[in-house]
Amino acid sequence: MEIVNPKTLTDKVTSVISHVVVTTASKLAFISGQVAVDETGALVGSGDYYAQAIQVFTNLKHALEAAQAEPLYIAQMNIFVVNHNPELISIIFDAGFHVFGSNWPKTASTYIGVQALADPEWLIEINAIVIFP
């Protein structure tokens, strides 16, 4: 994948995302929205954005491992956050860096504030498109 961050677009956000990802993919994986439930289906971090974000990114990491994909293969992520406010951005991205460390994927991303998710206790949901080299 080629990461493109043209000088004509702001570099304010490129520490956590990329403006454009260019690829010629032969194999793709589409990861469904991951939420803050563990392998037994139990909610993790009731009412706690950071704890839920840790679980969501952990679930995303498990999905990547199941697909035999590296985090850096993620081309696009959509991050849905219930009752978004600006201070939640750093909380959620800090959780992502905690889970992925130096393998944080700087994807083409969209961060979307939403009123609710499918379950009223879920605060964060993330889906992803993975492109294999």
Side-chain angles (χ1 to χ4, degrees):
M1 289 188 296
E2 178 186 358
I3 304 299
V4 180
N5 289 307
K7 299 235 183 272
T8 53
L9 296 174
T10 183
D11 64 356
K12 184 177 180 182
V13 296
T14 56
S15 67
V16 293
I17 69 147
S18 295
H19 285 292
V20 181
V21 175
V22 180
T23 184
T24 54
S26 59
K27 181 178 175 183
L28 303 172
F30 298 86
I31 299 176
S32 292
Q34 298 300 304
V35 294
V37 295
D38 65 17
E39 65 277 358
T40 70
L43 178 70
V44 174
S46 180
D48 183 335
Y49 282 91
Y50 185 76
Q52 285 205 17
I54 291 284
Q55 185 64 48
V56 171
F57 282 113
T58 298
N59 290 348
L60 179 59
K61 187 175 181 180
H62 291 319
L64 289 168
E65 290 166 355
Q68 297 179 337
E70 297 294 326
L72 300 176
Y73 296 179
I74 298 174
Q76 183 178 38
M77 272 193 301
N78 292 309
I79 303 170
F80 302 92
V81 180
V82 173
N83 297 322
H84 166 70
N85 63 66
E87 66 247 16
L88 291 174
I89 294 171
S90 63
I91 290 169
I92 290 165
F93 281 103
D94 286 349
F97 284 113
H98 175 82
V99 172
F100 287 107
S102 63
N103 286 326
W104 172 256
K106 292 185 182 178
T107 71
S109 295
T110 303
Y111 184 107
I112 306 162
V114 295
Q115 182 178 359
L117 295 169
D119 185 295
E121 292 190 284
W122 297 345
L123 301 175
I124 301 163
E125 184 168 348
I126 300 175
N127 65 21
I129 297 174
V130 177
I131 298 176
F132 291 81

